[in-house]
Amino acid sequence: MSKTFDITKEMTLEERLIWVSAGVLLGSAGVYWGVILGRARYIPITEVPYGWAMFWSLGAVVLGSLAVAVATVILAPREADQKDQRDREVGRHGDAAGYNVLALGCLGVLALTVAGAEPFWVAHSLYLCCVVAGLWSAVTKIIAYRRGFSP
């Protein structure tokens, strides 16, 4: 069995929240792309109205993750204050990895903007950067929790 994803290993509250946040992010992005691609069956993709769907998708990630975090803390109040140095270091490490991906992606979005790309492509490139950065951060943190982490 892989040591990376040993499900019998006990998880801290922080690690559980990372798993849930990643799931919420994937679910929200999946629904968003389903809506956009569903609409694109009837009109050209660059003409698909995407603003409100994107707004709701990003809002769902924030509110969904927050709601699950609050529910988890309510269900396990003793664990809520048990964030230790390892949790903080893993969090910083994963956040830095996510920020690096986001920064690189934003450079690509900037290049699209300078090249005069249609707003649809600019907006969706930025959306994709946010999703990939969030997932990269979460995966980095999960691997650090599962394999061990030494700063």
Side-chain angles (χ1 to χ4, degrees):
M1 179 191 296
S2 169
K3 290 182 181 181
T4 304
F5 297 106
D6 181 5
I7 59 173
T8 61
K9 186 176 177 182
E10 191 172 322
M11 282 192 248
T12 65
L13 177 64
E14 290 296 314
E15 185 179 359
R16 274 183 275 179
L17 292 176
I18 292 164
W19 277 101
V20 170
S21 294
V24 169
L25 179 60
L26 277 174
S28 177
V31 169
Y32 174 76
W33 286 109
V35 167
I36 296 302
L37 295 175
R39 290 177 181 173
R41 291 184 299 170
Y42 307 108
I43 57 176
I45 195 159
T46 56
E47 295 176 18
V48 170
Y50 61 87
W52 282 107
M54 189 178 288
F55 172 77
W56 284 109
S57 173
L58 293 173
V61 170
V62 171
L63 294 177
S65 295
L66 183 61
V68 170
V70 168
T72 304
V73 169
I74 289 171
L75 294 173
R78 284 186 226 146
E79 294 181 43
D81 294 330
Q82 293 182 356
K83 190 171 188 176
D84 60 10
Q85 183 65 25
R86 179 174 174 251
D87 288 328
R88 286 187 284 280
E89 291 294 329
V90 167
R92 277 190 217 118
H93 177 67
D95 290 343
Y99 295 148
N100 289 335
V101 169
L102 184 61
L104 286 173
C106 285
L107 287 175
V109 171
L110 183 60
L112 280 175
T113 304
V114 169
E118 291 189 40
F120 177 89
W121 297 114
V122 173
H124 283 91
S125 297
L126 186 57
Y127 180 81
L128 184 63
C129 288
C130 291
V131 171
V132 171
L135 291 175
W136 190 266
S137 176
V139 167
T140 302
K141 291 174 187 179
I142 290 167
I143 289 172
Y145 274 114
R146 296 281 112 187
R147 286 192 180 163
F149 175 73
S150 141

